[in-house]
Amino acid sequence: MSEETLTEALPPIRHWPAVDPTGTDFDPVLTDLMREGPVTRVQLANGEGWAWLVTRYDDVRMVTNDPRFSREAVMGRQVTRLAPHYIPDQGAVGVLDPPDHTRLRRSVAAAFTAKGVERIREQARGMLDELVDELLQDGPPADLTATVLSPFPIAVICELMGVPAADRHAMHTWTQLILSSAHGKEAGEKAKREMSAYFSDLIGLREGSTAEDVTSLLGAALGRGEVTLEEAVGLAVLLQIGGEAVTSNSGQMFYLLLTRPDLVERLRSDPAIRPRAIDELLRYIPHRNAVGLSRIALEDVEIGGVRIRAGDPVHVSYLAANRDPDVFPDPETIDFSRSPNPHVAFGFGPHYCPGGMLARLESELLVDALLDRVPGLRLAVAPGQVPFRKGALIRGPAALPVAW
């Protein structure tokens, strides 16, 4: 790539408004940005200035796995973003770079490995069966979100975290206040302080623990001097909140399935394809609005013929990467036989979602339980009448009215 080619005029800045696409529709603005080029410039609803947006699969994986792009350098900067309130805590795992990021993630890694997640499979299945028992007992119509898709991930993440069942409701309330901008910045900050204080007490009590739940692992790491209490609490809060994302993801998944009876029929008639089908649904579902946390280029880097300068903010779109036709032929089609399916629904690189395996387990259990135990499951209203969350960072139905 010659010097002249790289120093062309900067691409125009595209304003990316906060849109609420219908149902599981793909964001039309993102579609336009993907067509415009592999690297564009965007300005979102909040923050300051503009940022680069990287949309092609290979480029997204490169940026997220390259130490020349730093999360830590975002601290103290108001990079353009979707979220109205962005006040990352110093030392929070989401804004750390290796080696600190690696050290902190290592402290809880055992809980999120295949073995760690398998440890709670039977408990998770039992909790889900109880919720489906209640659903069937109360009879139709029902809101699947309120009866199953919300309480199930809360119960599972609390189990994995080591949070007593009696405190699940408080956790859910705090999480909703932190994730929603509807109640205002103060309510979210207060909820975060209260959840932090709760985890501070719980982790402090478990310093010598040998148990396998997350707060016990953090307590043990704290006792060995491997993490500070502040770091441990920040990580616990992040993992607890992240555990509820399954509610939105599975809400979209079941909305999609219930509006496409042909897909449900395939999953019912051939249970062996379900794990692969879930991966394809995870690839296809637009999990979030716009983009999440940005990174800062620490030196000049060339991507797709564009020079990104040291100090420039960069956003990646995992949603766009999951629709890259060079990697996923016919990306708009839901293809349950798609193989390989190297989607990046859980991210990539050092900041890959630690709960990826847990989310997959929960999705598999939900599909099995609801398709096998509620054979006539269908939407109780027209697809267009299903209310989706407005102005949410994470997309999903606010309620999913069903009958059977």
Side-chain angles (χ1 to χ4, degrees):
M1 187 70 66
S2 72
E3 183 68 21
E4 289 73 30
T5 323
L6 280 174
T7 50
E8 292 166 355
L10 290 172
I13 298 170
R14 299 291 183 211
H15 180 57
W16 192 353
V19 289
D20 280 312
T22 309
T24 53
D25 291 357
F26 201 75
D27 183 337
V29 182
L30 182 53
T31 300
D32 290 344
L33 288 163
M34 288 162 69
R35 284 200 194 108
E36 210 164 290
V39 185
T40 52
R41 291 199 299 163
V42 294
Q43 185 173 33
L44 290 133
N46 294 290
E48 295 164 8
W50 57 269
W52 295 104
L53 174 70
V54 175
T55 52
R56 289 219 183 129
Y57 183 88
D58 288 342
D59 298 336
V60 165
R61 296 213 329 177
M62 188 275 275
V63 169
T64 51
N65 207 27
D66 190 321
R68 293 176 296 176
F69 296 95
S70 165
R71 276 279 180 83
E72 221 159 305
V74 175
M75 290 298 293
R77 292 188 51 170
Q78 290 294 323
V79 176
T80 188
R81 63 184 188 273
L82 176 65
H85 318 305
Y86 175 57
I87 308 171
D89 297 327
Q90 193 76 44
V93 72
V95 287
L96 280 182
D97 296 330
D100 282 336
H101 177 264
T102 317
R103 170 179 57 82
L104 201 47
R105 286 273 294 243
R106 194 187 298 124
S107 65
V108 296
F112 293 98
T113 58
K115 187 181 169 199
V117 168
E118 276 303 313
R119 183 180 68 83
I120 64 160
R121 179 186 285 269
E122 289 314 311
Q123 282 157 299
R125 185 183 277 125
M127 293 187 286
L128 180 55
D129 278 339
E130 282 178 30
L131 291 169
V132 176
D133 287 344
E134 286 175 37
L135 177 78
L136 293 170
Q137 197 177 312
D138 294 344
D143 172 6
L144 198 62
T145 301
T147 53
V148 179
L149 303 182
S150 176
F152 176 57
I154 295 164
V156 171
I157 193 63
C158 285
E159 184 69 36
L160 196 77
M161 295 295 294
V163 170
D167 298 332
R168 280 180 201 163
H169 181 70
M171 282 291 162
H172 176 56
T173 305
W174 286 327
T175 297
Q176 293 310 303
L177 288 168
I178 292 166
L179 285 180
S180 167
S181 53
H183 304 281
K185 182 178 169 182
E186 295 310 315
E189 287 294 309
K190 181 170 179 282
K192 197 170 177 186
R193 284 195 302 273
E194 288 171 357
M195 189 190 276
S196 298
Y198 175 93
F199 276 123
S200 182
D201 289 345
L202 197 57
I203 291 165
L205 288 171
R206 297 182 173 174
E207 270 195 41
S209 178
T210 54
E212 295 174 290
D213 61 80
V214 172
T215 48
S216 294
L217 291 171
L218 286 170
L222 179 67
R224 293 191 299 267
E226 293 167 4
V227 299
T228 66
L229 181 59
E230 194 179 23
E231 286 174 332
V233 167
L235 183 52
V237 167
L238 190 81
L239 293 169
Q240 180 69 39
I241 293 170
E244 292 207 28
V246 174
T247 298
S248 296
N249 281 352
S250 55
Q252 287 200 69
M253 204 177 279
F254 278 97
Y255 172 83
L256 200 57
L257 290 173
L258 296 176
T259 52
R260 294 276 307 270
D262 56 313
L263 297 181
V264 175
E265 193 42 54
R266 286 202 59 202
L267 293 178
R268 282 212 170 101
S269 60
D270 188 1
I273 67 165
R274 290 176 187 177
R276 188 185 284 183
I278 285 165
D279 257 334
E280 174 66 348
L281 291 169
L282 287 167
R283 177 196 72 83
Y284 182 87
I285 286 166
H287 300 265
R288 59 163 305 118
N289 277 316
V291 280
L293 290 174
S294 60
R295 291 166 174 80
I296 305 292
L298 299 180
E299 56 186 77
D300 288 11
V301 184
E302 186 259 317
I303 300 177
V306 174
R307 170 168 290 157
I308 291 170
R309 303 237 172 231
D312 284 355
V314 181
H315 277 292
V316 300
S317 173
Y318 292 122
L319 300 187
N322 279 342
R323 302 284 178 112
D324 185 335
D326 290 341
V327 180
F328 305 100
D330 200 5
E332 307 306 315
T333 301
I334 298 170
D335 177 7
F336 286 167
S337 60
R338 191 182 293 279
S339 182
N341 189 349
H343 68 75
V344 284
F346 297 117
F348 193 74
H351 288 275
Y352 175 88
C353 171
M357 279 191 189
L358 183 66
R360 250 198 204 90
L361 168 76
E362 291 177 58
S363 300
E364 286 178 20
L365 291 174
L366 281 164
V367 166
D368 286 348
L370 290 168
L371 295 193
D372 296 343
R373 296 194 57 199
V374 196
L377 189 66
R378 64 183 189 279
L379 283 182
V381 296
Q385 289 180 295
V386 173
F388 271 69
R389 297 177 196 280
K390 296 285 179 209
L393 305 183
I394 307 297
R395 286 177 61 181
L400 198 56
V402 294
W404 56 92

